[in-house]
Amino acid sequence: MKLPETKIYLYAAVAVFVLIVAILCYYMFAPFSDTGSTAYLYIDGDDTQDSVFTKLRPLGSTAGQAGLTTLLRHSGYADNVRTGRYAIEPQESPVRLFRKLKNGQQSPVSLTVPEARTARRLAALLSGKLMVDSAEIAEALGSAEVCSKLGYDTCSIMAMIVPNTYEVYWNIGVDALLTRMQREHDAFWNESRRQKAAALQLTPNEVATLASIIDEETANNAEKPMIAGMYINRLHQGMPLQADPTIKFALKDFALRRIYQKLLLVDSPYNTYQHEGLPPGPIKVASQKGIDAVLNAVSHDYLYMCAKEDFSGTHNFAATYAEHLRNAARYAKALNERGIK
């Protein structure tokens, strides 16, 4: 029996509709990526719609890219490209990825804040993990106005940085980054730590400054509380710290193996041979171990220390200057024998 012409057109229209829906489903809801692992798309402030499409090309299948680019082109995305780090999950559809890009639903990064020696080095290491330029971070850390707003000056600002791993967004700005570091600092300096600092007659900034010196004296965490006790004894007796790492910092020469007498004449507020008390600020980002070593300093009578002649990275401690001279002579002899200048 011959079908009426109207039914033929109806069936054809339905077939075309089903075909269109099938094609749409294929392009819009099939997995964008044909790999089995999560990939990341990084969109920075210089990106345009076209450059985003270029970055997407190696991350997705041909069908997935066609579906996503179609959605983006017809949604006004070119006028609202949002920066960030976007995760492309396995089996994620172009429709879902489209929503992420359109709404700025980015994935955070794990930012490891290191124990950098200088603000410029810290800025370089942080910028390597973030969208922000290292020069912007360095400029902020060196700005009296920016530091003042955070409650520091350009010398003490490094005391605000607590090395750890934090989750932040890749496109975080400098102001937001420093505000986050201030918040983490305040959380780290809980009531217990503040009470311990007060018992030592030190502020949190002073503890971080002393800890930074101790960190440079030794990598042996077990010995740090002993060294902290020695420096605290010196502070309480009004003796100069005479800490060699502060001379290296003043000279900006961290490769020095021996500190000769002529180097002790460097004109710097960080020269703890010429100036009593603590320097104006940390000589590096102090480690958490170093800070807690100061707060839990060992109580003893030692006023002097010298690196051990076995180059173990530990120290000989002395209560008298005469004993210290003997320790120093042994160490100098060991340096000479190894030809270390």
Side-chain angles (χ1 to χ4, degrees):
M1 184 177 67
K2 186 177 180 180
L3 289 173
E5 188 173 328
T6 55
K7 284 191 176 182
I8 292 175
Y9 288 138
L10 176 62
Y11 291 152
V14 169
V16 170
F17 176 76
V18 170
L19 178 62
I20 291 173
V21 169
I23 292 173
L24 285 175
C25 287
Y26 175 70
Y27 281 103
M28 302 301 176
F29 296 100
F32 172 80
S33 173
D34 51 13
T35 66
S37 58
T38 301
Y40 292 94
L41 171 68
Y42 293 84
I43 302 176
D44 61 38
D46 295 327
D47 276 316
T48 64
Q49 175 177 269
D50 289 336
S51 66
V52 170
F53 291 165
T54 299
K55 289 182 176 181
L56 282 167
R57 193 168 297 134
L59 302 177
S61 64
T62 301
Q65 289 181 63
L68 180 59
T69 54
T70 299
L71 289 169
L72 291 173
R73 285 188 189 281
H74 294 87
S75 67
Y77 180 70
D79 299 322
N80 190 30
V81 176
R82 307 185 69 164
T83 62
R85 172 183 182 260
Y86 298 91
I88 302 175
E89 306 287 352
Q91 304 303 309
E92 186 168 34
S93 70
V95 169
R96 185 175 177 185
L97 184 53
F98 162 75
R99 292 197 190 104
K100 282 184 180 180
L101 299 180
K102 185 71 174 174
N103 298 324
Q105 297 172 348
Q106 57 178 307
S107 299
V109 298
S110 292
L111 177 66
T112 298
V113 178
E115 299 169 24
R117 277 177 166 152
T118 66
R120 189 168 297 278
R121 179 60 178 160
L122 175 65
L125 293 171
L126 293 180
S127 70
K129 300 289 185 66
L130 302 171
M131 189 178 79
V132 66
D133 185 72
S134 63
E136 291 182 63
I137 302 175
E139 183 179 353
L141 293 173
S143 166
E145 181 180 357
V146 171
C147 293
S148 178
K149 288 179 180 178
L150 294 166
Y152 299 84
D153 57 38
T154 55
C155 292
S156 63
I157 187 64
M158 295 287 269
M160 185 186 76
I161 310 298
V162 179
N164 207 336
T165 298
Y166 306 102
E167 277 203 344
V168 301
Y169 287 119
W170 178 72
N171 64 347
I172 190 171
V174 175
D175 290 343
L177 175 63
L178 294 180
T179 299
R180 173 66 182 277
M181 292 299 96
Q182 183 187 42
R183 188 164 67 247
E184 296 295 345
H185 169 275
D186 293 344
F188 174 80
W189 278 98
N190 54 31
E191 187 61 27
S192 174
R193 286 191 172 98
R194 289 183 181 275
Q195 288 179 356
K196 288 181 178 180
L200 295 171
Q201 303 173 41
L202 297 173
T203 66
N205 285 0
E206 289 172 333
V207 170
T209 299
L210 182 53
S212 72
I213 295 172
I214 294 168
D215 282 340
E216 288 291 89
E217 290 281 14
T218 183
N220 188 319
N221 288 323
E223 193 184 47
K224 287 179 180 179
M226 280 289 291
I227 298 175
M230 186 212 71
Y231 279 131
I232 289 170
N233 288 345
R234 280 181 164 259
L235 285 173
H236 289 171
Q237 293 192 28
M239 297 176 64
L241 293 185
Q242 297 183 329
D244 288 355
T246 64
I247 303 299
K248 295 180 182 180
F249 183 84
L251 293 167
K252 292 296 186 289
D253 187 349
F254 302 104
L256 285 171
R257 298 290 301 274
R258 300 184 71 163
I259 304 298
Y260 292 100
Q261 190 69 29
K262 63 181 180 181
L263 300 180
L264 305 182
L265 302 177
V266 58
D267 182 17
S268 169
Y270 289 89
N271 185 339
T272 56
Y273 279 82
Q274 292 185 349
H275 301 281
E276 291 183 8
L278 291 163
I283 60 172
K284 67 178 288 289
V285 174
S287 69
Q288 291 193 29
K289 292 285 189 181
I291 290 172
D292 284 335
V294 174
L295 297 177
N296 297 284
V298 175
S299 180
H300 53 63
D301 296 327
Y302 296 131
L303 291 171
Y304 306 92
M305 73 175 190
C306 179
K308 286 186 177 179
E309 62 277 11
D310 61 2
F311 297 96
S312 62
T314 56
H315 296 78
N316 289 312
F317 294 87
T320 66
Y321 188 59
E323 185 182 359
H324 171 64
L325 288 178
R326 291 193 291 272
N327 292 336
R330 288 201 301 272
Y331 183 60
K333 181 175 180 291
L335 288 174
N336 291 333
E337 288 175 349
R338 293 199 179 194
I340 297 176
K341 300 185 181 296

